[in-house]
Amino acid sequence: MPASFAQELLWHLDRATPGQSAYNMPRARRLKGPLDLVALNRALDALAERHEILRTTYSERDGAVWQVIQPPRTEPLVPVDLSQLGPAEQAREAARLVKALSGAPFDLTRDPLLRRGIIRLSPTEHILVLVTHHIASDGWSGTVMQRDLFALYEGFRAERPATLPDLPIQYGDFSAWQRDELQGERLEGLLRFWRAQLDGHLPVLELPTDRLRPAAPGTEGDHRVLELPPKLVAGLRRVGQKHGASLYMVLLAAYQTLLSRLSGQDDILVGSPMAGRDRAETEQLIGFFANTLVYRARFADDPSFDALLARVRDAALGAFEHHEMPLERLLLDRSREGTLSEGSLFRVVFTQLDTSSKHLDLGELSVEPEALSNETVKFDLTLFLADRPDLVRLVLYFRTELFDGDRIERMLGELRTLLEGIASDPSRRVSTLPLLPDAERAELADWNATSVVLGPATTMATMIAEAAARRPGEDAVVSGAVHLTWGDLLIRASQVAHRLRQLGAGPDVPVGLCFDRSADLMVGMVGILLSGGAYVPLLPDTPTARLFRQLADSGARVVVTSSTWTGLFPDAETLCLDGDASKLAGLPGIPPAVDLDPSSLAYILFTSGSTGTPKGVGVTHANLVHYTRAIARVLGMDLRGGGTPWHAATVSTLAADLGHTSVFPTLAAGGTLHVLPSDTCQDASKFQAYMTAHPIDLLKITPGHFQALAGPEFAPVHLPRRWLVTGGEPCSWAIA
């Protein structure tokens, strides 16, 4: 017989990755009471005889997939006896056996697709394990299988025919009918509808995960449960009734809203399985009839939940009207684009659980569901809805290779908060519906309580001048062979400040700063701050066009530099710390009196321009002082100058603020700032030698830069004594 569309897809997936067990469907039942093993074995054989699909293998010929129905046969059911083991060891061994039976792959070309096993725990307690492949069964089939199996068991035990109705058709008849029915104009009409639903670019849902997504997805899973209070359920039902929508539709819309909010994406695709048994002849059959519908929700216009629910309802009704298009046929249609698996359409699923009781009493024998320890999943997330009159439960299955359990519990908490907001006011836009539970809102509020006063209002110029007054004879700046004491730094920077005042510098007046890595870089920077101006760092190796733009955009008309770089600024006034040294020497060596306010600019940095024109960002003294105090508090650095002075190394440019962690707390505290020359910042051996020879307490650096400087000869002696601070990019575990 021809394979159905669903079977054809699973055949191709199995051929692509032979030996997988992702589509195994294990079912386990605990049997309590006297068990007639012979009757059970005969019942299992009779079950396979009754349902041809359980003794069907598969082959491919001339590009088509075929079902090959095998004759009935007898298979022995031999129990594995664990009755002599202690309770703990028995439980472990039983779980291992169930897992082994459940996870063993099927060979679709030759294996019977009803694998059976029985574990004896005691003379009156057994675990029955039945494993089928999804190509031969679906969720509905489990109920049919249990009903038929135990009806047959009762018949054999009582030596009478089982009370089961004759089957009008077999699964092969259905698959042949499906192939005949879904072709021509009917098939094209269904395809047109679904192509329209899935037109354009199909988004790939990217949720925040706890681990990177592997190249080949695994199947190990786990789950968490959320029970909805009756009052909340009643409110959600009222929201649905207003739009003629079921609770299922309300929860589907809420689930899509949650996924959109967590991912930041405005186009969400969710798969939703349905039984696919809308004809009476199929209701009593074991087989793969289930179909999966795809629901697409768009959030770009930020609809109200009322509006979203109306869309979801219309989409669900439209999908149901066209449900005869098997997802597998749609995937095969899309396989021309290189996509074949369900994961190419959606990564998350929402479905409704069968809440009918799985418990049976067969005289003295009780049959109860047995929990499986090895949960397998095919999707990132699968949300099950169990809607019973007395209880509504949501069960969220997840890939353990991607998510931790606490993240899933938090996600369910966010879903509950979202549902409470929907029940309270569905007219709100989905972007404004509450998401965080009270505990998380309180935690977030605590994290964001950043309006902390860390000291009196002041400026960085004042803090540096005060530090110099406390430690005039100690090193302030070290760069190569140059050592500047705090007294030297204050005198030279003050002379620069007085000259800049003569050239028009003052509060909020930008002044260019262009040096290679040297002590003069710090003299120029501090001099600009003492003048009241805002420094604009300019890199000598920057393209000329960018330098011109930075000067023009910032409004800087004066550049503090060295004679090496004056040619870069033909249209600006330059102050050369080397060429104009004689002029500067005659100026006062104390800071000029400047009416500088904390709200005045301290510096202007320019963005990289990678997304367009570089943009200047102004940072005030209040910003810089607060940052400096906050960093010093974290590092344990006393800005009042108490204790042993810190030695910090800077390997970064002033044109980016990632190095400020080293620079400004050290200067404000009166420590020693080591401005490592360019060659030392680029040569691993020189860097390591410097770190060995100097008592560096603090280094701020990007992880990639540090890894390059550490090199293969790296040793603990090359680390700073107190703090290595990384930033600007992810830090690898190797560095950590």
Side-chain angles (χ1 to χ4, degrees), residues 210-271:
D210 296 296
R211 281 166 293 282
L212 294 177
R213 183 179 299 276
T219 61
E220 292 189 6
D222 200 351
H223 72 276
R224 295 294 186 270
V225 177
L226 172 66
E227 292 186 357
L228 301 182
K231 183 178 179 181
L232 174 58
V233 174
L236 295 173
R237 292 193 195 278
R238 284 194 296 272
V239 171
Q241 288 164 2
K242 185 170 67 171
H243 295 278
S246 64
L247 179 63
Y248 172 88
M249 295 174 183
V250 174
L251 291 171
L252 171 61
Y255 186 40
Q256 290 171 313
T257 299
L258 177 70
L259 296 172
S260 175
R261 294 279 296 274
L262 293 181
S263 67
Q265 296 172 241
D266 59 16
D267 192 356
I268 302 296
L269 292 169
V270 174

Side-chain angles (χ1 to χ4, degrees), residues 669-684:
T672 302
L673 184 65
H674 295 251
V675 181
L676 271 59
S678 297
D679 60 345
T680 306
C681 298
Q682 297 168 7
D683 186 298

Side-chain angles (χ1 to χ4, degrees), residues 120-133:
R120 177 178 291 141
L121 305 178
S122 75
T124 57
E125 190 165 358
H126 297 75
I127 297 176
L128 173 66
V129 183
L130 302 177
V131 188
T132 57
H133 191 281

Side-chain angles (χ1 to χ4, degrees), residues 532-595:
Y535 70 87
V536 183
L538 305 167
L539 295 179
D541 57 355
T542 299
T544 304
R546 179 177 169 92
L547 287 177
F548 287 170
R549 179 175 289 279
Q550 288 176 322
L551 285 174
D553 287 356
S554 66
R557 295 190 296 271
V558 178
V559 178
V560 181
T561 183
S562 69
S563 56
T564 306
W565 310 115
T566 53
L568 297 175
F569 310 104
D571 299 326
E573 180 88 36
T574 57
L575 173 58
C576 297
L577 297 196
D578 51 357
D580 295 331
S582 59
K583 298 178 183 178
L584 293 172
L587 296 173
I590 59 174
V594 180
D595 186 15

Side-chain angles (χ1 to χ4, degrees), residues 27 47 51-54 132 136-138 140-142 144-146 148 167 170-171 277 282-289:
R27 299 174 177 93
L47 181 70
H51 294 277
E52 292 177 352
I53 192 68
L54 298 179
T132 57
S137 68
D138 54 17
W140 184 297
S141 298
V144 176
M145 188 181 299
Q146 175 168 293
D148 286 8
L167 296 177
Q170 290 286 337
Y171 186 82
R277 298 175 186 248
T282 63
E283 291 185 3
Q284 310 304 318
L285 289 179
I286 294 173
F288 187 5
F289 297 92

Side-chain angles (χ1 to χ4, degrees), residues 286-309:
I286 294 173
F288 187 5
F289 297 92
N291 190 22
T292 302
L293 305 178
V294 185
Y295 296 124
R296 190 174 192 175
R298 301 177 193 261
F299 293 84
D301 61 339
D302 192 18
S304 68
F305 187 81
D306 279 330
L308 176 68
L309 181 57

